[in-house]
């Protein structure tokens, strides 16, 4: 990891991407919105919402999240995004009745194995399941039992997260696939992607450094992201710089 993208020495990197036909892409929880105890209460701060709205008026902009697409749309009301990708990349392209039927079959087994486990909730997102243990007193024990329950389902894809275990059908698209598809759909030459979690590593691991700038929220040595920002609060500063860079480019062109 090359360090904090907001350091003055790295502004050139942002400027080069901002000057290109670039797609801005963001995760939601832990990136655009702070992590909260109850996931249903997650919201962007008013300043983040204002800056994202401005950025999305200057650049093609999408949000790629583990949340269901319908859930995300309501949280982005008024923001002129060009795409909303849900369920870690499944929606909209791979969303199907067969997939939702497969996910639905997991529920009785998960509920039976996790019944009585304090602080654990099962979230049905139609094309994936998220098992949250943020409220569990013994988080390590809860996580182990959730992983055991997921393994008992058979051939599934498990993605860890911040006090959550995500379960998807095998072969389901990931966020990396989603970003490449959206970049091509929107005719963009490059992309800036910002995310904070294990599921975002599918984007950061894409081997295309000249076309994709990965920025991890909260630096971690294990991340494949080349750059980072210190914490979720810094998303406002990053959005502000991106807006300034695009506005200054437009001013130069108009001269």
């Amino acid at each position: 990891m090359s360090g904090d993208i907001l350091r003055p020495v790295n502004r050139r990197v942002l400027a080069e991407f901002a000057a290109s036909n670039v797609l801005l892409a963001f995760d939601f929880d832990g990136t655009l919105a702070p992590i909260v105890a109850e996931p249903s209460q997650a919201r962007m701060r008013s300043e983040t919402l204002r800056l994202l709205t401005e950025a999305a008026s200057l650049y093609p902009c999408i949000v790629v999240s583990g949340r269901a697409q319908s859930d995300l749309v309501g949280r982005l009301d008024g923001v002129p995004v060009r795409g909303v990708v849900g369920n870690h990349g499944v929606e909209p392209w791979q969303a199907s009745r067969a997939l939702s039927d497969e996910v639905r079959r997991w529920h009785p087994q998960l509920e039976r194995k996790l019944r009585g486990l304090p602080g654990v909730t099962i979230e049905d997102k139609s094309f994936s399941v998220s098992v949250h243990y943020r409220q569990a007193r013994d988080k390590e024990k809860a996580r182990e039992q959730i992983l055991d329950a997921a393994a008992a389902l058979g051939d599934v894809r498990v993605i860890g997260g911040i006090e959550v275990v995500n379960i998807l059908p095998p072969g389901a698209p990931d966020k990396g696939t989603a970003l490449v598809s959206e970049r091509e759909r929107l005719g963009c030459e490059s992309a800036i992607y910002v995310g904070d979690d294990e599921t975002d590593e599918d984007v950061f691991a894409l081997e295309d450094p000249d076309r994709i700038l990965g920025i991890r929220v909260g630096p971690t040595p294990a991340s494949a992201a080349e750059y980072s920002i210190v914490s979720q609060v810094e998303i406002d500063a990053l959005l502000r710089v991106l807006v300034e860079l695009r506005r200054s480019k437009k001013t130069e062109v108009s001269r």
Side-chain angles (χ1 to χ4, degrees):
M1 185 174 286
S2 299
D4 188 345
I5 193 66
L6 293 174
R7 290 180 61 199
V9 70
N10 291 326
R11 188 179 177 96
R12 173 187 56 81
V13 177
L14 275 177
E16 288 177 357
F17 271 86
S20 68
N21 177 18
V22 64
L23 171 66
L24 300 187
F26 302 92
D27 175 39
F28 188 79
D29 295 87
T31 301
L32 291 173
I35 295 291
V36 294
E38 176 49 59
S40 65
Q41 300 302 311
R43 296 290 185 277
M44 285 183 280
R45 295 182 299 276
S46 59
E47 180 66 358
T48 308
L49 177 59
R50 184 189 72 78
L51 288 165
L52 180 65
T53 300
E54 188 171 5
S57 71
L58 297 169
Y59 300 85
C61 181
I62 64 171
V63 174
V64 185
S65 171
R67 287 182 180 269
Q69 189 181 47
S70 58
D71 182 348
L72 276 173
V73 168
R75 296 172 197 278
L76 296 166
D77 187 35
V79 182
V81 293
R82 301 283 292 277
V84 177
V85 178
N87 271 289
H88 306 277
V90 174
E91 295 178 294
W93 310 285
Q94 299 295 323
S96 67
R97 177 66 178 272
L99 200 63
S100 63
D101 286 347
E102 182 177 358
V103 171
R104 190 177 299 113
R105 286 194 291 270
W106 301 341
H107 284 265
Q109 190 170 343
L110 286 172
E111 288 170 356
R112 184 171 62 254
K113 285 186 171 293
L114 300 175
R115 186 180 296 124
L117 195 57
V120 171
T121 58
I122 301 171
E123 181 185 5
D124 177 6
K125 297 187 292 189
S126 295
F127 305 105
S128 71
V129 172
S130 289
V131 186
H132 300 272
Y133 57 95
R134 199 167 295 162
Q135 305 286 355
R137 182 171 298 176
D138 187 341
K139 291 181 172 54
E140 187 59 36
K141 179 181 178 182
R143 183 174 183 276
E144 288 176 1
Q145 290 189 234
I146 294 166
L147 290 173
D148 286 345
L153 296 174
D155 189 15
V156 297
R157 182 178 180 221
V158 175
I159 307 174
I162 300 173
E163 297 177 348
V164 63
V165 173
N166 303 291
I167 309 171
L168 293 87
D174 58 38
K175 286 187 174 184
T177 304
L179 180 69
V180 171
S181 296
E182 284 290 87
R183 181 176 59 76
E184 293 174 351
R185 179 180 72 85
L186 294 168
C188 294
E189 300 167 357
S190 57
I192 297 173
Y193 183 84
V194 192
D196 76 308
D197 212 344
E198 184 177 326
T199 181
D200 300 303
E201 291 296 325
D202 289 318
V203 177
F204 301 145
L206 292 171
E207 295 182 357
D208 200 355
D210 294 332
R211 302 180 75 180
I212 298 175
L213 174 62
I215 303 172
R216 174 92 183 206
V217 179
T220 171
S223 179
E226 189 172 1
Y227 293 93
S228 66
I229 55 176
V230 173
S231 67
Q232 191 278 325
V233 174
E234 293 296 312
I235 193 67
D236 290 358
L238 177 59
L239 286 167
R240 198 170 289 115
V241 171
L242 288 168
V243 167
E244 290 171 359
L245 288 169
R246 184 53 66 98
R247 288 208 179 281
S248 64
K249 180 190 174 187
K250 285 194 169 187
T251 301
E252 290 174 4
V253 169
S254 65
R255 286 176 180 170

